Amino acid sequence: MIFVLRKECSDADVQEVVQRLAHLGLRERVFQGADRTMVAAVGDCDDIDLSAFESLAAVELIVPTVSDEAPSPPAPPPGDRREVCLGPAGAVVGGQKIAVIAGPCSVEDRTMLLETAHAVREAGAVALRGGAFKPRTNPYSFQGLGERALELLAEAREATGLAIVTEVMSPDQVELVGRYADVLQVGTRNMHNFNLLAAVGRQSKPVLLKRGWSATLDEFLHAAEYIINEGNTEVIFCERGIRTFEDHVRNTLALAIVPMIKQRSPLPIIVDPSQGTGVADLIAPMSKAAIACGADGLLIEVHPQPAQALTDADQTINIAQFQVLMGDLRSLASAVGRMA
Ligand code: PEP
Ligand code: MN
C-alpha cells in the first residue's frame, strides 16, 4: 500500500500517516520525490482499514499493492541520485567521479596485499577490495584467511587511506566483518539470503549488493529493500554477470541493467567485469562499456602476479594493466560527463 500525499503537505502530515501505520503494527518507507512525498506501508497490509487514511486531508491517493507482492519502490524523479560515502576518507560512489574499487579476489598474505593496495591507490582507486571469507563452490578450495585477512585489510587502510570492502557470508559474521571493513559486500550467492540482507540492514556501514546470478531486476531491487527496510539506506548495486548459455565467458555481463536501475532507483550501481566475464583480456573493454552506459564505478580484481592468485586467477589483471586501464578510463569518463 502506497500513500501519495498532496504537494503542499507538511512534515506533520507525513508523521500523521507514519503514526497511523505504526498504530496498525506496520512500518513505513518515506519517499521524498521532487514535488510529492509518498509513504509505503511495510508489513501485512491485507487488513488495513483505509477509512483511517482516506479521512486525512494530506492523502491524495492510495495505491493498493497486490497481496504477497512487496511494493516496488516508486521510480525516483529524474535527476534524484543518491551518493554513498565509502568511509572516513570521504570517497563517494554515485557522484560525478567514477569510483574504482580494486584489489585481489582473496587476501593471501601481507606482502601482496600491501603491494596491491599502494599500487591501486597510486593509479586512482578509491577503495581496496579483498576477500577474507570466500564463498567457494568447491569445499576443498582455499576458503580465505578469515579474521587474519580482516586485520591485514585494516593495516592496508592505515597505510594507504583506502576504504576497505570485503564480503560477509552469514548473519553471524556481520559484527566481526563490520568491525574491520568500511563497506560490507553481499555476494551473488547470498543476494537471496534474506536473513543476511536484514542483518546488514541493521548495521550502519554501506552495503555492496551483488546481483544474484539468476536474479531479475525486480528481485535485485527487492533485495536492496530488505536492507533499506531495516534502516540502512546506504546500498550500492553491483552487476557481476548472470548465468546464460554463453560458454566463451564465465558469466554474461548484463550491462542493460545499469541504465534500468537508474530509472528504478536513486541508488548508485557499479559493475564487476572480473566476475562478469571471467577473462582477464575482457576486463578493459567491459570496464569501458560499463562507464559508457552510466555505471558509477567498477570493481576490478588486481594482483601483482595474477597467474599465482589463489582464487580467480584467470580474470585478474596485473598492476601494469590496471594502470593503463585507469588512464584510459580518465578520457572515457570525461567523454560521458564524468571524472575518473
Ligand atoms: C568476488 O567478488 O570475488 C566474488 C566471489 O563475487 P561474486 O559474489 O559476484 O561471485
Ligand atoms: Mn573473485
Side-chain angles (χ1 to χ4, degrees), residues 122-166:
E122 285 305 306
V126 297
L128 176 71
R129 204 294 308 263
F133 297 99
K134 294 301 302 176
R136 304 306 304 283
T137 303
N138 182 339
Y140 307 109
S141 316
F142 176 62
Q143 303 286 311
L145 296 180
E147 188 166 4
R148 174 72 191 129
L150 297 175
E151 288 166 2
L152 293 173
L153 287 164
E155 185 181 343
R157 171 178 47 217
E158 282 295 303
T160 61
L162 290 170
I164 296 302
V165 184
T166 195

Side-chain angles (χ1 to χ4, degrees), residues 177-240:
V177 175
R179 225 186 299 147
Y180 292 92
D182 297 298
V183 179
L184 275 55
Q185 173 177 321
V186 173
T188 194
R189 295 159 186 79
N190 270 318
M191 194 213 80
H192 291 287
N193 181 342
F194 305 120
N195 289 337
L196 177 61
L197 297 175
V200 295
R202 286 192 290 270
Q203 56 84 57
S204 59
K205 300 241 166 116
V207 178
L208 177 62
L209 176 63
K210 291 194 154 200
R211 179 183 182 185
W213 60 38
S214 62
T216 63
L217 172 65
D218 272 329
E219 288 165 347
F220 199 14
L221 288 165
H222 280 138
E225 294 288 296
Y226 270 98
I227 301 169
I228 293 166
N229 285 342
E230 295 297 326
N232 186 357
T233 55
E234 305 302 285
V235 179
I236 303 162
F237 289 105
C238 179
E239 161 60 29
R240 51 75 70 206

Side-chain angles (χ1 to χ4, degrees), residues 5-73:
L5 306 190
R6 291 189 197 285
K7 243 181 182 172
E8 61 279 6
C9 78
S10 65
D11 288 349
D13 292 327
V14 178
Q15 279 318 308
E16 177 77 40
V17 175
V18 169
Q19 272 157 22
R20 286 191 187 206
L21 289 173
H23 192 67
L24 296 169
L26 297 167
R27 287 180 295 146
E28 83 295 332
R29 286 276 313 284
V30 178
F31 300 93
Q32 199 71 59
D35 64 0
R36 285 274 192 301
T37 301
M38 288 164 277
V39 183
V42 179
D44 182 0
C45 300
D46 283 356
D47 297 327
I48 287 191
D49 175 8
L50 286 183
S51 61
F53 294 89
E54 281 162 351
S55 60
L56 293 175
V59 174
E60 180 169 296
L61 184 68
I62 301 176
V63 185
T65 46
V66 181
S67 169
D68 278 347
E69 196 181 272
S72 281

